[in-house]
Amino acid sequence: MRIIEFFKRLFHREKPIEIKPKKYLNPPKKMKQKKDLNPPKKMKQTYVAKSTNYLDEQYELFQTIQPGYLVFCRMPVCEDNLVDINHPHRIRPYLIIKKDKDYLYGYAGSTKKKNPKIQYTLKDGHKDKETGAFSDSYLYLNNVYRIPIQNIKGILKQVSSKDLIQIQRKIQLLKNSDVHHIVLFENIDFEFEVGDIVTYNTSLYFVSKVEDNKIFGYVCSNTNGDIELKGLNLFINTDIERKIEPNPHSLKYILTRM
């Protein structure tokens, strides 16, 4: 009998015991991810085609073009992005700021005003194909396009040195603020002018005079002064004119001559 009982126990399959997970009375709370209050700005990405299959005439134009030229080019973006753009607008002026052996680099122009902060008005910077009439072009200085040789359509003109200096100043101002993915001209120096507001020795100065590479300025204050700069909440103290030595990175505002 004992042997029979032993074999019964040996081959008897009991129902497995189900172990249920314990329920926590105080389950751990999920950590909430903090939102970045100042997320990094995404740089604009432009499609860049390889410089192949260009015509001899286009290569001759490419060799002629230098920084400071305003050049008509087909927009250097992929075909999918051109679908929603009317054919006449696919070719637009670009202000060339530099070039290498295969590409031009430039800021795009348009006949539309969008954002005064990032654009520069270039007189007679656009030519209508049908009428031949010139109109102002608005250069967008917030993004540099890389243009392959086969996208070149023609040269409009060489931009005046006066305009190039002012464009360089505005680009530098943007670089000092919140627009960082832009490029300065390689062959144009930066110049300060009367009306600029700069930082020097932790104080703000209004540039009052530029003579023989020497810069003079009045201290600016948030509280009081002789002249109020409306819109900036600043006052100019004209009691003392000081010699200052700011650098391009210290430029804060560009004002018109007073």
Side-chain angles (χ1 to χ4, degrees), residues 185-198:
F185 284 90
E186 293 180 334
N187 58 339
I188 299 174
D189 294 329
F190 176 84
E191 296 181 8
F192 285 104
E193 293 185 356
V194 173
D196 293 346
I197 296 185
V198 301

Side-chain angles (χ1 to χ4, degrees), residues 73-95:
C73 299
R74 188 171 184 271
M75 295 176 67
V77 297
C78 61
E79 294 296 330
D80 293 340
N81 293 339
L82 288 175
V83 173
D84 298 327
I85 301 175
N86 294 331
H87 282 276
H89 298 288
R90 295 182 183 183
I91 298 175
R92 60 181 58 211
Y94 288 84
L95 176 62

Side-chain angles (χ1 to χ4, degrees), residues 92-106:
R92 60 181 58 211
Y94 288 84
L95 176 62
I96 306 306
I97 61 167
K98 67 176 183 178
K99 64 182 286 190
D100 57 26
K101 64 178 183 177
D102 296 310
Y103 296 95
L104 298 174
Y105 299 80

Side-chain angles (χ1 to χ4, degrees), residues 126-141:
H126 193 88
K127 184 179 181 181
D128 189 278
K129 283 188 175 181
E130 296 180 359
T131 64
F134 283 86
S135 60
D136 294 345
S137 184
Y138 302 97
L139 299 171
Y140 298 131
L141 305 177

